[in-house]
Amino acid sequence: QVQLVESGGGLVQPGGSLRLSCAASGSIFSIYAMGWYRQAPGKQRELVATITSGGSTNYADSVKGRFTISRDNAKNTVYLQMNSLKPEDTAVYYCNAGVKPNSDYTVVLRYWGQGTQVTVSS
């Protein structure tokens, strides 16, 4: 089994910063693209940022210049550094990863974390 566990969420004032972490554990042969998504109250889940195994990144327009996604392949961990936070960033943030559990798999399976709450409020 593969598990993704997010951490680092919490309450922060506008203009503040948070650093989210997502660690993958379990049966892992290789991890491909990883990403962060978020879902605000009354809204659908949306993409925040993604990063490939080679380090190529993609960001939603709403977070460009403020958020930075990174990964540590040796630790099977992806991070999201969030700066200059705004109230509209308030949401549950979910980690996503494409994983091959072992070398016998020829397809990539998608896994989701349980989410971590980020609240930006004064």
Side-chain angles (χ1 to χ4, degrees):
Q1 295 182 338
V2 176
Q3 296 181 350
L4 301 179
V5 180
E6 301 100 334
S7 62
L11 175 65
V12 65
Q13 294 184 343
S17 298
L18 284 174
R19 182 177 174 86
L20 305 183
S21 298
C22 173
S25 62
S27 180
I28 300 174
F29 178 73
S30 60
I31 301 179
Y32 293 83
M34 305 183 79
W36 290 95
Y37 295 73
R38 67 186 182 187
Q39 187 166 22
K43 300 183 66 177
Q44 64 182 16
R45 189 173 299 186
E46 64 178 358
L47 181 147
V48 176
T50 60
I51 183 169
T52 69
S53 60
S56 297
T57 59
N58 183 43
Y59 297 92
D61 289 340
S62 60
V63 306
K64 287 181 179 178
R66 300 188 298 118
F67 291 10
T68 302
I69 188 171
S70 62
R71 65 191 289 168
D72 186 334
N73 291 331
K75 297 181 178 180
N76 292 332
T77 300
V78 62
Y79 307 93
L80 186 67
Q81 178 66 47
M82 304 184 293
N83 298 325
S84 302
L85 284 163
K86 305 175 181 179
E88 51 263 44
D89 295 318
T90 296
V92 177
Y93 284 70
Y94 296 91
C95 176
N96 175 265
V99 178
K100 282 190 176 182
N102 58 64
S103 61
D104 293 329
Y105 279 75
T106 58
V107 298
V108 178
L109 305 179
R110 182 176 294 109
Y111 293 88
W112 290 89
Q114 294 299 307
T116 184
Q117 177 70 48
V118 172
T119 302
V120 184
S121 176
S122 60

